[in-house]
Amino acid sequence: MTFIGLTQRVEYIESHKETRDCLDQDWHSLAKKNKFSSLPIPNDPDGVRAILKNISLDGVILTGGNDISSIPNSKNTSMLREETENYLMDYCKKNNKPLLGVCRGFQMMNLYFGGSLSKVKGHANTQNEIILSRNEFVDEEVIRVNSYHNFGIKEDDLSKDLEAFARSSDGTIEAAFHRDLNWIGIMWHPERNESKIDSQIFKYLFN
């Protein structure tokens, strides 16, 4: 069985004075469909270190949700989540593990390798048409994907370690892969509405 660690968003519940780790249950359904087991990862770097001493992950998915603290006027941020995800990226890089960054996860991946982010319009709560460039795991074609972000990655933002393979009509980068590592970043959410390319990406990374 392939065990993939999934990071979680952080939500503060005012009525209960609780800070909660949250993961859409559709991720587990998506995992079963794509023949891997999902393991939610707590936003606790020390706890993650302890877990990885006893469990060997076969890969990691950095899921969406929460703003990144470096984004101007960011809200609903979590430094613990950012620390946890940076540690997991260190782990995957050191141990040559596959990694998928989803929306915010792709943004984190790009920042990790020295890239940047830009404000974008027309990418929140909508669907966008994207153009895929042919490579070893997808064919060249035009598809529609969901879109839930206000900050994205333009050409000048993309880390030199990453190569884009999908762009929206306004030129914003929608997906990229690492030139040396088995890492992919996508700006859409497969757990909300799986597109035809998602199963190809999961198979390429985790199977």
Side-chain angles (χ1 to χ4, degrees), residues 130-167:
I130 65 171
I131 302 169
L132 299 170
S133 303
R134 182 184 298 275
N135 55 56
E136 60 186 297
F137 51 90
V138 296
D139 295 325
E140 183 178 2
E141 59 180 318
V142 177
I143 63 172
R144 294 188 67 81
V145 296
N146 58 55
S147 190
Y148 294 94
H149 54 275
N150 291 303
F151 278 79
I153 300 170
K154 298 182 178 180
E155 290 291 338
D156 291 342
D157 294 317
L158 189 66
S159 163
K160 291 181 173 56
D161 293 312
L162 305 177
E163 182 174 334
F165 69 89
R167 292 174 173 83

PDB file of all heavy atoms in Angstrom, residues 130-167:
ATOM      1  N   ILE A 130      -7.383  26.027 -19.442  1.00  0.00           N
ATOM      2  CA  ILE A 130      -5.929  26.013 -19.413  1.00  0.00           C
ATOM      3  C   ILE A 130      -5.377  25.194 -20.573  1.00  0.00           C
ATOM      4  O   ILE A 130      -6.040  24.277 -21.068  1.00  0.00           O
ATOM      5  CB  ILE A 130      -5.375  25.471 -18.079  1.00  0.00           C
ATOM      6  CG1 ILE A 130      -5.728  23.994 -17.880  1.00  0.00           C
ATOM      7  CG2 ILE A 130      -5.862  26.298 -16.903  1.00  0.00           C
ATOM      8  CD1 ILE A 130      -5.018  23.350 -16.698  1.00  0.00           C
ATOM      9  N   ILE A 131      -4.183  25.571 -21.002  1.00  0.00           N
ATOM     10  CA  ILE A 131      -3.513  24.887 -22.107  1.00  0.00           C
ATOM     11  C   ILE A 131      -2.375  24.058 -21.537  1.00  0.00           C
ATOM     12  O   ILE A 131      -1.484  24.585 -20.858  1.00  0.00           O
ATOM     13  CB  ILE A 131      -2.975  25.892 -23.133  1.00  0.00           C
ATOM     14  CG1 ILE A 131      -4.105  26.770 -23.672  1.00  0.00           C
ATOM     15  CG2 ILE A 131      -2.264  25.166 -24.280  1.00  0.00           C
ATOM     16  CD1 ILE A 131      -3.631  27.945 -24.492  1.00  0.00           C
ATOM     17  N   LEU A 132      -2.410  22.761 -21.792  1.00  0.00           N
ATOM     18  CA  LEU A 132      -1.372  21.848 -21.313  1.00  0.00           C
ATOM     19  C   LEU A 132      -0.309  21.666 -22.387  1.00  0.00           C
ATOM     20  O   LEU A 132      -0.632  21.460 -23.555  1.00  0.00           O
ATOM     21  CB  LEU A 132      -1.974  20.487 -20.968  1.00  0.00           C
ATOM     22  CG  LEU A 132      -3.034  20.443 -19.879  1.00  0.00           C
ATOM     23  CD1 LEU A 132      -3.675  19.065 -19.848  1.00  0.00           C
ATOM     24  CD2 LEU A 132      -2.432  20.767 -18.535  1.00  0.00           C
ATOM     25  N   SER A 133       0.944  21.738 -21.983  1.00  0.00           N
ATOM     26  CA  SER A 133       2.045  21.449 -22.895  1.00  0.00           C
ATOM     27  C   SER A 133       2.401  19.971 -22.782  1.00  0.00           C
ATOM     28  O   SER A 133       2.429  19.416 -21.680  1.00  0.00           O
ATOM     29  CB  SER A 133       3.270  22.297 -22.540  1.00  0.00           C
ATOM     30  OG  SER A 133       2.960  23.669 -22.572  1.00  0.00           O
ATOM     31  N   ARG A 134       2.700  19.350 -23.899  1.00  0.00           N
ATOM     32  CA  ARG A 134       3.034  17.924 -23.892  1.00  0.00           C
ATOM     33  C   ARG A 134       4.313  17.659 -23.107  1.00  0.00           C
ATOM     34  O   ARG A 134       5.300  18.379 -23.214  1.00  0.00           O
ATOM     35  CB  ARG A 134       3.202  17.420 -25.319  1.00  0.00           C
ATOM     36  CG  ARG A 134       3.509  15.913 -25.410  1.00  0.00           C
ATOM     37  CD  ARG A 134       3.752  15.511 -26.860  1.00  0.00           C
ATOM     38  NE  ARG A 134       2.571  15.751 -27.679  1.00  0.00           N
ATOM     39  CZ  ARG A 134       1.574  14.890 -27.800  1.00  0.00           C
ATOM     40  NH1 ARG A 134       1.611  13.730 -27.147  1.00  0.00           N
ATOM     41  NH2 ARG A 134       0.540  15.163 -28.557  1.00  0.00           N
ATOM     42  N   ASN A 135       4.266  16.633 -22.276  1.00  0.00           N
ATOM     43  CA  ASN A 135       5.468  16.187 -21.559  1.00  0.00           C
ATOM     44  C   ASN A 135       5.313  14.703 -21.268  1.00  0.00           C
ATOM     45  O   ASN A 135       4.448  14.044 -21.841  1.00  0.00           O
ATOM     46  CB  ASN A 135       5.699  17.012 -20.281  1.00  0.00           C
ATOM     47  CG  ASN A 135       4.491  17.014 -19.367  1.00  0.00           C
ATOM     48  OD1 ASN A 135       4.003  15.956 -18.973  1.00  0.00           O
ATOM     49  ND2 ASN A 135       3.969  18.190 -19.042  1.00  0.00           N
ATOM     50  N   GLU A 136       6.128  14.169 -20.372  1.00  0.00           N
ATOM     51  CA  GLU A 136       6.135  12.724 -20.182  1.00  0.00           C
ATOM     52  C   GLU A 136       4.911  12.165 -19.470  1.00  0.00           C
ATOM     53  O   GLU A 136       4.702  10.956 -19.433  1.00  0.00           O
ATOM     54  CB  GLU A 136       7.401  12.296 -19.431  1.00  0.00           C
ATOM     55  CG  GLU A 136       7.556  12.902 -18.050  1.00  0.00           C
ATOM     56  CD  GLU A 136       8.898  12.536 -17.437  1.00  0.00           C
ATOM     57  OE1 GLU A 136       9.124  11.340 -17.215  1.00  0.00           O
ATOM     58  OE2 GLU A 136       9.707  13.441 -17.194  1.00  0.00           O
ATOM     59  N   PHE A 137       4.075  13.040 -18.868  1.00  0.00           N
ATOM     60  CA  PHE A 137       2.918  12.490 -18.177  1.00  0.00           C
ATOM     61  C   PHE A 137       1.580  13.051 -18.642  1.00  0.00           C
ATOM     62  O   PHE A 137       0.535  12.569 -18.209  1.00  0.00           O
ATOM     63  CB  PHE A 137       3.048  12.662 -16.648  1.00  0.00           C
ATOM     64  CG  PHE A 137       3.378  14.065 -16.210  1.00  0.00           C
ATOM     65  CD1 PHE A 137       2.387  14.968 -15.926  1.00  0.00           C
ATOM     66  CD2 PHE A 137       4.699  14.458 -16.062  1.00  0.00           C
ATOM     67  CE1 PHE A 137       2.690  16.246 -15.500  1.00  0.00           C
ATOM     68  CE2 PHE A 137       5.005  15.748 -15.652  1.00  0.00           C
ATOM     69  CZ  PHE A 137       4.017  16.637 -15.371  1.00  0.00           C
ATOM     70  N   VAL A 138       1.558  14.062 -19.521  1.00  0.00           N
ATOM     71  CA  VAL A 138       0.289  14.542 -20.069  1.00  0.00           C
ATOM     72  C   VAL A 138       0.462  14.853 -21.552  1.00  0.00           C
ATOM     73  O   VAL A 138       1.569  15.131 -22.019  1.00  0.00           O
ATOM     74  CB  VAL A 138      -0.240  15.807 -19.353  1.00  0.00           C
ATOM     75  CG1 VAL A 138      -0.565  15.523 -17.907  1.00  0.00           C
ATOM     76  CG2 VAL A 138       0.736  16.967 -19.467  1.00  0.00           C
ATOM     77  N   ASP A 139      -0.647  14.792 -22.277  1.00  0.00           N
ATOM     78  CA  ASP A 139      -0.646  15.190 -23.677  1.00  0.00           C
ATOM     79  C   ASP A 139      -1.025  16.662 -23.799  1.00  0.00           C
ATOM     80  O   ASP A 139      -1.638  17.237 -22.900  1.00  0.00           O
ATOM     81  CB  ASP A 139      -1.659  14.348 -24.462  1.00  0.00           C
ATOM     82  CG  ASP A 139      -1.265  12.879 -24.507  1.00  0.00           C
ATOM     83  OD1 ASP A 139      -0.044  12.612 -24.575  1.00  0.00           O
ATOM     84  OD2 ASP A 139      -2.167  12.025 -24.472  1.00  0.00           O
ATOM     85  N   GLU A 140      -0.665  17.249 -24.929  1.00  0.00           N
ATOM     86  CA  GLU A 140      -1.022  18.649 -25.160  1.00  0.00           C
ATOM     87  C   GLU A 140      -2.509  18.751 -25.457  1.00  0.00           C
ATOM     88  O   GLU A 140      -3.025  18.094 -26.353  1.00  0.00           O
ATOM     89  CB  GLU A 140      -0.211  19.216 -26.323  1.00  0.00           C
ATOM     90  CG  GLU A 140      -0.478  20.697 -26.583  1.00  0.00           C
ATOM     91  CD  GLU A 140       0.387  21.245 -27.705  1.00  0.00           C
ATOM     92  OE1 GLU A 140       1.155  20.462 -28.294  1.00  0.00           O
ATOM     93  OE2 GLU A 140       0.281  22.443 -27.975  1.00  0.00           O
ATOM     94  N   GLU A 141      -3.216  19.582 -24.724  1.00  0.00           N
ATOM     95  CA  GLU A 141      -4.638  19.772 -24.958  1.00  0.00           C
ATOM     96  C   GLU A 141      -5.135  20.952 -24.126  1.00  0.00           C
ATOM     97  O   GLU A 141      -4.405  21.524 -23.317  1.00  0.00           O
ATOM     98  CB  GLU A 141      -5.426  18.513 -24.599  1.00  0.00           C
ATOM     99  CG  GLU A 141      -5.286  18.071 -23.159  1.00  0.00           C
ATOM    100  CD  GLU A 141      -6.094  16.818 -22.870  1.00  0.00           C
ATOM    101  OE1 GLU A 141      -7.246  16.732 -23.342  1.00  0.00           O
ATOM    102  OE2 GLU A 141      -5.588  15.931 -22.179  1.00  0.00           O
ATOM    103  N   VAL A 142      -6.395  21.301 -24.336  1.00  0.00           N
ATOM    104  CA  VAL A 142      -7.034  22.380 -23.587  1.00  0.00           C
ATOM    105  C   VAL A 142      -8.110  21.763 -22.705  1.00  0.00           C
ATOM    106  O   VAL A 142      -8.948  21.002 -23.179  1.00  0.00           O
ATOM    107  CB  VAL A 142      -7.654  23.429 -24.535  1.00  0.00           C
ATOM    108  CG1 VAL A 142      -8.370  24.507 -23.729  1.00  0.00           C
ATOM    109  CG2 VAL A 142      -6.591  24.049 -25.433  1.00  0.00           C
ATOM    110  N   ILE A 143      -8.078  22.076 -21.401  1.00  0.00           N
ATOM    111  CA  ILE A 143      -9.074  21.549 -20.481  1.00  0.00           C
ATOM    112  C   ILE A 143      -9.580  22.677 -19.590  1.00  0.00           C
ATOM    113  O   ILE A 143      -8.967  23.753 -19.521  1.00  0.00           O
ATOM    114  CB  ILE A 143      -8.520  20.409 -19.599  1.00  0.00           C
ATOM    115  CG1 ILE A 143      -7.389  20.923 -18.689  1.00  0.00           C
ATOM    116  CG2 ILE A 143      -8.032  19.250 -20.455  1.00  0.00           C
ATOM    117  CD1 ILE A 143      -6.929  19.906 -17.668  1.00  0.00           C
ATOM    118  N   ARG A 144     -10.679  22.435 -18.896  1.00  0.00           N
ATOM    119  CA  ARG A 144     -11.203  23.394 -17.927  1.00  0.00           C
ATOM    120  C   ARG A 144     -10.972  22.843 -16.522  1.00  0.00           C
ATOM    121  O   ARG A 144     -11.164  21.646 -16.271  1.00  0.00           O
ATOM    122  CB  ARG A 144     -12.686  23.662 -18.149  1.00  0.00           C
ATOM    123  CG  ARG A 144     -12.992  24.372 -19.454  1.00  0.00           C
ATOM    124  CD  ARG A 144     -14.438  24.801 -19.541  1.00  0.00           C
ATOM    125  NE  ARG A 144     -14.772  25.836 -18.583  1.00  0.00           N
ATOM    126  CZ  ARG A 144     -14.505  27.138 -18.757  1.00  0.00           C
ATOM    127  NH1 ARG A 144     -13.882  27.544 -19.852  1.00  0.00           N
ATOM    128  NH2 ARG A 144     -14.865  28.015 -17.861  1.00  0.00           N
ATOM    129  N   VAL A 145     -10.555  23.726 -15.622  1.00  0.00           N
ATOM    130  CA  VAL A 145     -10.304  23.329 -14.238  1.00  0.00           C
ATOM    131  C   VAL A 145     -10.928  24.359 -13.303  1.00  0.00           C
ATOM    132  O   VAL A 145     -11.188  25.502 -13.687  1.00  0.00           O
ATOM    133  CB  VAL A 145      -8.784  23.222 -13.945  1.00  0.00           C
ATOM    134  CG1 VAL A 145      -8.139  22.122 -14.768  1.00  0.00           C
ATOM    135  CG2 VAL A 145      -8.081  24.553 -14.187  1.00  0.00           C
ATOM    136  N   ASN A 146     -11.162  23.940 -12.048  1.00  0.00           N
ATOM    137  CA  ASN A 146     -11.686  24.882 -11.070  1.00  0.00           C
ATOM    138  C   ASN A 146     -10.581  25.837 -10.622  1.00  0.00           C
ATOM    139  O   ASN A 146      -9.387  25.574 -10.815  1.00  0.00           O
ATOM    140  CB  ASN A 146     -12.310  24.152  -9.877  1.00  0.00           C
ATOM    141  CG  ASN A 146     -11.317  23.235  -9.177  1.00  0.00           C
ATOM    142  OD1 ASN A 146     -10.243  23.649  -8.767  1.00  0.00           O
ATOM    143  ND2 ASN A 146     -11.672  21.960  -9.038  1.00  0.00           N
ATOM    144  N   SER A 147     -10.975  26.962 -10.035  1.00  0.00           N
ATOM    145  CA  SER A 147      -9.996  27.986  -9.677  1.00  0.00           C
ATOM    146  C   SER A 147     -10.478  28.736  -8.435  1.00  0.00           C
ATOM    147  O   SER A 147     -11.578  29.280  -8.431  1.00  0.00           O
ATOM    148  CB  SER A 147      -9.820  28.958 -10.854  1.00  0.00           C
ATOM    149  OG  SER A 147      -8.732  29.823 -10.651  1.00  0.00           O
ATOM    150  N   TYR A 148      -9.642  28.750  -7.380  1.00  0.00           N
ATOM    151  CA  TYR A 148     -10.052  29.346  -6.106  1.00  0.00           C
ATOM    152  C   TYR A 148      -8.914  30.155  -5.476  1.00  0.00           C
ATOM    153  O   TYR A 148      -8.650  30.037  -4.285  1.00  0.00           O
ATOM    154  CB  TYR A 148     -10.482  28.255  -5.125  1.00  0.00           C
ATOM    155  CG  TYR A 148     -11.726  27.498  -5.535  1.00  0.00           C
ATOM    156  CD1 TYR A 148     -11.629  26.304  -6.237  1.00  0.00           C
ATOM    157  CD2 TYR A 148     -13.000  27.978  -5.223  1.00  0.00           C
ATOM    158  CE1 TYR A 148     -12.757  25.598  -6.620  1.00  0.00           C
ATOM    159  CE2 TYR A 148     -14.132  27.283  -5.603  1.00  0.00           C
ATOM    160  CZ  TYR A 148     -14.008  26.095  -6.295  1.00  0.00           C
ATOM    161  OH  TYR A 148     -15.138  25.394  -6.673  1.00  0.00           O
ATOM    162  N   HIS A 149      -8.240  30.975  -6.246  1.00  0.00           N
ATOM    163  CA  HIS A 149      -7.106  31.712  -5.691  1.00  0.00           C
ATOM    164  C   HIS A 149      -7.074  33.157  -6.188  1.00  0.00           C
ATOM    165  O   HIS A 149      -7.499  33.453  -7.301  1.00  0.00           O
ATOM    166  CB  HIS A 149      -5.779  31.019  -6.024  1.00  0.00           C
ATOM    167  CG  HIS A 149      -5.585  30.757  -7.483  1.00  0.00           C
ATOM    168  ND1 HIS A 149      -6.092  29.632  -8.116  1.00  0.00           N
ATOM    169  CD2 HIS A 149      -4.942  31.458  -8.450  1.00  0.00           C
ATOM    170  CE1 HIS A 149      -5.769  29.660  -9.397  1.00  0.00           C
ATOM    171  NE2 HIS A 149      -5.066  30.762  -9.629  1.00  0.00           N
ATOM    172  N   ASN A 150      -6.569  34.032  -5.319  1.00  0.00           N
ATOM    173  CA  ASN A 150      -6.395  35.447  -5.666  1.00  0.00           C
ATOM    174  C   ASN A 150      -4.939  35.800  -5.939  1.00  0.00           C
ATOM    175  O   ASN A 150      -4.645  36.873  -6.470  1.00  0.00           O
ATOM    176  CB  ASN A 150      -6.922  36.342  -4.534  1.00  0.00           C
ATOM    177  CG  ASN A 150      -8.432  36.280  -4.414  1.00  0.00           C
ATOM    178  OD1 ASN A 150      -9.157  36.554  -5.367  1.00  0.00           O
ATOM    179  ND2 ASN A 150      -8.921  35.903  -3.236  1.00  0.00           N
ATOM    180  N   PHE A 151      -4.032  34.924  -5.524  1.00  0.00           N
ATOM    181  CA  PHE A 151      -2.614  35.092  -5.836  1.00  0.00           C
ATOM    182  C   PHE A 151      -2.167  33.898  -6.662  1.00  0.00           C
ATOM    183  O   PHE A 151      -2.539  32.760  -6.388  1.00  0.00           O
ATOM    184  CB  PHE A 151      -1.777  35.206  -4.563  1.00  0.00           C
ATOM    185  CG  PHE A 151      -1.779  36.588  -3.980  1.00  0.00           C
ATOM    186  CD1 PHE A 151      -2.850  37.041  -3.232  1.00  0.00           C
ATOM    187  CD2 PHE A 151      -0.716  37.452  -4.206  1.00  0.00           C
ATOM    188  CE1 PHE A 151      -2.877  38.316  -2.706  1.00  0.00           C
ATOM    189  CE2 PHE A 151      -0.726  38.722  -3.686  1.00  0.00           C
ATOM    190  CZ  PHE A 151      -1.802  39.177  -2.936  1.00  0.00           C
ATOM    191  N   GLY A 152      -1.376  34.184  -7.682  1.00  0.00           N
ATOM    192  CA  GLY A 152      -0.927  33.130  -8.574  1.00  0.00           C
ATOM    193  C   GLY A 152       0.540  33.284  -8.926  1.00  0.00           C
ATOM    194  O   GLY A 152       1.279  34.059  -8.313  1.00  0.00           O
ATOM    195  N   ILE A 153       0.940  32.548  -9.945  1.00  0.00           N
ATOM    196  CA  ILE A 153       2.341  32.508 -10.355  1.00  0.00           C
ATOM    197  C   ILE A 153       2.419  32.921 -11.822  1.00  0.00           C
ATOM    198  O   ILE A 153       1.943  32.204 -12.707  1.00  0.00           O
ATOM    199  CB  ILE A 153       2.928  31.092 -10.154  1.00  0.00           C
ATOM    200  CG1 ILE A 153       2.831  30.693  -8.680  1.00  0.00           C
ATOM    201  CG2 ILE A 153       4.377  31.029 -10.643  1.00  0.00           C
ATOM    202  CD1 ILE A 153       3.157  29.231  -8.409  1.00  0.00           C
ATOM    203  N   LYS A 154       3.006  34.091 -12.064  1.00  0.00           N
ATOM    204  CA  LYS A 154       3.233  34.554 -13.423  1.00  0.00           C
ATOM    205  C   LYS A 154       4.624  34.122 -13.885  1.00  0.00           C
ATOM    206  O   LYS A 154       5.401  33.579 -13.116  1.00  0.00           O
ATOM    207  CB  LYS A 154       3.054  36.074 -13.494  1.00  0.00           C
ATOM    208  CG  LYS A 154       1.643  36.520 -13.118  1.00  0.00           C
ATOM    209  CD  LYS A 154       1.458  38.024 -13.247  1.00  0.00           C
ATOM    210  CE  LYS A 154       0.022  38.431 -12.911  1.00  0.00           C
ATOM    211  NZ  LYS A 154      -0.182  39.891 -13.021  1.00  0.00           N
ATOM    212  N   GLU A 155       4.913  34.366 -15.164  1.00  0.00           N
ATOM    213  CA  GLU A 155       6.176  33.904 -15.726  1.00  0.00           C
ATOM    214  C   GLU A 155       7.373  34.362 -14.906  1.00  0.00           C
ATOM    215  O   GLU A 155       8.285  33.579 -14.623  1.00  0.00           O
ATOM    216  CB  GLU A 155       6.322  34.379 -17.175  1.00  0.00           C
ATOM    217  CG  GLU A 155       5.376  33.705 -18.156  1.00  0.00           C
ATOM    218  CD  GLU A 155       5.689  32.236 -18.388  1.00  0.00           C
ATOM    219  OE1 GLU A 155       6.836  31.818 -18.154  1.00  0.00           O
ATOM    220  OE2 GLU A 155       4.776  31.500 -18.811  1.00  0.00           O
ATOM    221  N   ASP A 156       7.368  35.620 -14.502  1.00  0.00           N
ATOM    222  CA  ASP A 156       8.510  36.155 -13.755  1.00  0.00           C
ATOM    223  C   ASP A 156       8.552  35.653 -12.318  1.00  0.00           C
ATOM    224  O   ASP A 156       9.577  35.809 -11.646  1.00  0.00           O
ATOM    225  CB  ASP A 156       8.474  37.688 -13.757  1.00  0.00           C
ATOM    226  CG  ASP A 156       8.764  38.267 -15.132  1.00  0.00           C
ATOM    227  OD1 ASP A 156       9.310  37.535 -15.979  1.00  0.00           O
ATOM    228  OD2 ASP A 156       8.428  39.445 -15.366  1.00  0.00           O
ATOM    229  N   ASP A 157       7.449  35.066 -11.852  1.00  0.00           N
ATOM    230  CA  ASP A 157       7.389  34.559 -10.476  1.00  0.00           C
ATOM    231  C   ASP A 157       7.948  33.145 -10.347  1.00  0.00           C
ATOM    232  O   ASP A 157       8.366  32.735  -9.262  1.00  0.00           O
ATOM    233  CB  ASP A 157       5.936  34.529  -9.973  1.00  0.00           C
ATOM    234  CG  ASP A 157       5.324  35.907  -9.839  1.00  0.00           C
ATOM    235  OD1 ASP A 157       6.013  36.813  -9.340  1.00  0.00           O
ATOM    236  OD2 ASP A 157       4.151  36.068 -10.234  1.00  0.00           O
ATOM    237  N   LEU A 158       7.928  32.394 -11.441  1.00  0.00           N
ATOM    238  CA  LEU A 158       8.246  30.966 -11.361  1.00  0.00           C
ATOM    239  C   LEU A 158       9.720  30.741 -11.034  1.00  0.00           C
ATOM    240  O   LEU A 158      10.613  31.325 -11.648  1.00  0.00           O
ATOM    241  CB  LEU A 158       7.905  30.276 -12.676  1.00  0.00           C
ATOM    242  CG  LEU A 158       7.991  28.744 -12.671  1.00  0.00           C
ATOM    243  CD1 LEU A 158       6.923  28.163 -11.754  1.00  0.00           C
ATOM    244  CD2 LEU A 158       7.852  28.180 -14.081  1.00  0.00           C
ATOM    245  N   SER A 159       9.946  29.881 -10.049  1.00  0.00           N
ATOM    246  CA  SER A 159      11.316  29.506  -9.688  1.00  0.00           C
ATOM    247  C   SER A 159      12.045  28.920 -10.894  1.00  0.00           C
ATOM    248  O   SER A 159      11.452  28.224 -11.724  1.00  0.00           O
ATOM    249  CB  SER A 159      11.287  28.462  -8.563  1.00  0.00           C
ATOM    250  OG  SER A 159      12.529  27.799  -8.450  1.00  0.00           O
ATOM    251  N   LYS A 160      13.330  29.185 -10.985  1.00  0.00           N
ATOM    252  CA  LYS A 160      14.144  28.636 -12.073  1.00  0.00           C
ATOM    253  C   LYS A 160      14.292  27.120 -11.965  1.00  0.00           C
ATOM    254  O   LYS A 160      14.700  26.461 -12.925  1.00  0.00           O
ATOM    255  CB  LYS A 160      15.511  29.311 -12.086  1.00  0.00           C
ATOM    256  CG  LYS A 160      15.465  30.783 -12.508  1.00  0.00           C
ATOM    257  CD  LYS A 160      16.844  31.391 -12.524  1.00  0.00           C
ATOM    258  CE  LYS A 160      16.817  32.810 -13.107  1.00  0.00           C
ATOM    259  NZ  LYS A 160      15.900  33.701 -12.406  1.00  0.00           N
ATOM    260  N   ASP A 161      13.954  26.557 -10.789  1.00  0.00           N
ATOM    261  CA  ASP A 161      14.016  25.107 -10.618  1.00  0.00           C
ATOM    262  C   ASP A 161      12.782  24.405 -11.168  1.00  0.00           C
ATOM    263  O   ASP A 161      12.759  23.169 -11.251  1.00  0.00           O
ATOM    264  CB  ASP A 161      14.162  24.750  -9.137  1.00  0.00           C
ATOM    265  CG  ASP A 161      15.496  25.198  -8.560  1.00  0.00           C
ATOM    266  OD1 ASP A 161      16.525  24.920  -9.195  1.00  0.00           O
ATOM    267  OD2 ASP A 161      15.506  25.825  -7.488  1.00  0.00           O
ATOM    268  N   LEU A 162      11.753  25.178 -11.523  1.00  0.00           N
ATOM    269  CA  LEU A 162      10.492  24.613 -11.991  1.00  0.00           C
ATOM    270  C   LEU A 162      10.261  24.926 -13.460  1.00  0.00           C
ATOM    271  O   LEU A 162      10.711  25.956 -13.970  1.00  0.00           O
ATOM    272  CB  LEU A 162       9.323  25.170 -11.160  1.00  0.00           C
ATOM    273  CG  LEU A 162       9.414  25.010  -9.639  1.00  0.00           C
ATOM    274  CD1 LEU A 162       8.215  25.678  -8.969  1.00  0.00           C
ATOM    275  CD2 LEU A 162       9.514  23.550  -9.244  1.00  0.00           C
ATOM    276  N   GLU A 163       9.525  24.033 -14.126  1.00  0.00           N
ATOM    277  CA  GLU A 163       9.177  24.239 -15.529  1.00  0.00           C
ATOM    278  C   GLU A 163       7.668  24.148 -15.691  1.00  0.00           C
ATOM    279  O   GLU A 163       7.058  23.141 -15.300  1.00  0.00           O
ATOM    280  CB  GLU A 163       9.856  23.199 -16.409  1.00  0.00           C
ATOM    281  CG  GLU A 163       9.580  23.392 -17.888  1.00  0.00           C
ATOM    282  CD  GLU A 163      10.366  22.450 -18.776  1.00  0.00           C
ATOM    283  OE1 GLU A 163      11.451  21.998 -18.353  1.00  0.00           O
ATOM    284  OE2 GLU A 163       9.889  22.154 -19.897  1.00  0.00           O
ATOM    285  N   ALA A 164       7.066  25.179 -16.246  1.00  0.00           N
ATOM    286  CA  ALA A 164       5.608  25.222 -16.408  1.00  0.00           C
ATOM    287  C   ALA A 164       5.159  24.242 -17.484  1.00  0.00           C
ATOM    288  O   ALA A 164       5.835  24.055 -18.493  1.00  0.00           O
ATOM    289  CB  ALA A 164       5.166  26.627 -16.771  1.00  0.00           C
ATOM    290  N   PHE A 165       3.988  23.614 -17.260  1.00  0.00           N
ATOM    291  CA  PHE A 165       3.401  22.786 -18.310  1.00  0.00           C
ATOM    292  C   PHE A 165       1.914  23.070 -18.502  1.00  0.00           C
ATOM    293  O   PHE A 165       1.245  22.408 -19.303  1.00  0.00           O
ATOM    294  CB  PHE A 165       3.641  21.298 -18.063  1.00  0.00           C
ATOM    295  CG  PHE A 165       2.902  20.689 -16.898  1.00  0.00           C
ATOM    296  CD1 PHE A 165       1.640  20.160 -17.054  1.00  0.00           C
ATOM    297  CD2 PHE A 165       3.491  20.628 -15.646  1.00  0.00           C
ATOM    298  CE1 PHE A 165       0.961  19.579 -15.993  1.00  0.00           C
ATOM    299  CE2 PHE A 165       2.826  20.057 -14.570  1.00  0.00           C
ATOM    300  CZ  PHE A 165       1.561  19.529 -14.742  1.00  0.00           C
ATOM    301  N   ALA A 166       1.378  24.072 -17.809  1.00  0.00           N
ATOM    302  CA  ALA A 166      -0.009  24.479 -18.026  1.00  0.00           C
ATOM    303  C   ALA A 166      -0.144  25.969 -17.741  1.00  0.00           C
ATOM    304  O   ALA A 166       0.400  26.471 -16.750  1.00  0.00           O
ATOM    305  CB  ALA A 166      -0.965  23.688 -17.133  1.00  0.00           C
ATOM    306  N   ARG A 167      -0.863  26.652 -18.624  1.00  0.00           N
ATOM    307  CA  ARG A 167      -1.081  28.091 -18.471  1.00  0.00           C
ATOM    308  C   ARG A 167      -2.540  28.413 -18.760  1.00  0.00           C
ATOM    309  O   ARG A 167      -3.166  27.766 -19.603  1.00  0.00           O
ATOM    310  CB  ARG A 167      -0.181  28.894 -19.418  1.00  0.00           C
ATOM    311  CG  ARG A 167       1.298  28.826 -19.088  1.00  0.00           C
ATOM    312  CD  ARG A 167       2.132  29.524 -20.160  1.00  0.00           C
ATOM    313  NE  ARG A 167       3.544  29.604 -19.784  1.00  0.00           N
ATOM    314  CZ  ARG A 167       4.422  28.624 -19.951  1.00  0.00           C
ATOM    315  NH1 ARG A 167       4.021  27.467 -20.488  1.00  0.00           N
ATOM    316  NH2 ARG A 167       5.682  28.781 -19.602  1.00  0.00           N
TER     317      ARG A 167
END
